[in-house]
Amino acid sequence: MDALTLSKYDDLLSDVLLDQVGLWFETRKMFPRYRQARTNKETVIDLVRRVALGATGLAAAVEELLDQEYLSAFLRHKSEVRLADFRLHAGRYFSMYLPEAGYEIALTDRYKVVTKQSEARVVATKRYTLGMVISLCSGSVAKLSESEIQRMERESADF
C-alpha cells in the first residue's frame, strides 16, 4: 500500500474507530483538511462493544463497518487489492478493543512544543516482559516519495 492510500485509510479509521467512539480527544490526521466521516456513531459504538465482549469477530466487524453508508461510498470504486488493504487495516483498529490486546490509546503532550497540539500514544495495560510479542498492536509502513515528504513538511503533517 502506498503512503497516500495508507494515510487516507488511517485518517478515516482513526476518526471512525477512535475519535467517534468516545476517545476524549481528536487524533491528529495526516491531511489537515480531513473532514469527519458521517457514520452512525451509535451503530459503530455498538459494534466496538461487541468486538470487545467477544460477541463479534474481527472479520465480521470489518464487514459490518463496511456496510456503513459513508464507508461503502468511500470504498465503492476501489480495486480488490485496495479493499483487502482497507479490511486488513480496519482489522488492526478493531483488534485494539479485544480484552487481550494489552494496550490502549491515550493522550500525550510530549510533542506539543513542536506540533502545537496534543497527540495520541499507545499505553500498555498489562505487564510485558522482555521478548514478549504484542501481536495485536501492529501497523503498516509505506515508503514516502519526495513529493509526499515535501507536502507533509509544508502542511506540518509530519509525525
Side-chain angles (χ1 to χ4, degrees), residues 105-159:
I105 305 300
L107 181 72
T108 184
D109 289 328
R110 181 177 182 173
Y111 306 103
K112 200 169 191 171
V113 172
V114 176
T115 65
K116 310 286 190 270
Q117 62 188 48
S118 298
E119 304 283 342
R121 65 182 172 142
V122 176
V123 178
T125 58
K126 67 180 189 181
R127 187 157 184 78
Y128 289 98
T129 58
L130 184 64
M132 287 181 76
V133 175
I134 308 171
S135 61
L136 295 173
C137 184
S138 65
S140 294
V141 177
K143 184 175 176 149
L144 295 171
S145 68
E146 191 58 41
S147 65
E148 289 167 327
I149 292 171
Q150 290 171 359
R151 179 194 62 81
M152 291 175 72
E153 288 171 350
R154 226 180 14 258
E155 297 176 357
S156 297
D158 185 18
F159 280 90

Side-chain angles (χ1 to χ4, degrees), residues 51-78:
V51 168
L53 294 171
T56 301
L58 296 179
V62 169
E63 292 309 314
E64 194 171 327
L65 182 69
L66 298 185
D67 287 340
Q68 288 277 314
E69 187 177 336
Y70 185 89
L71 283 117
S72 178
F74 174 78
L75 296 168
R76 185 170 293 128
H77 300 292
K78 303 286 188 227

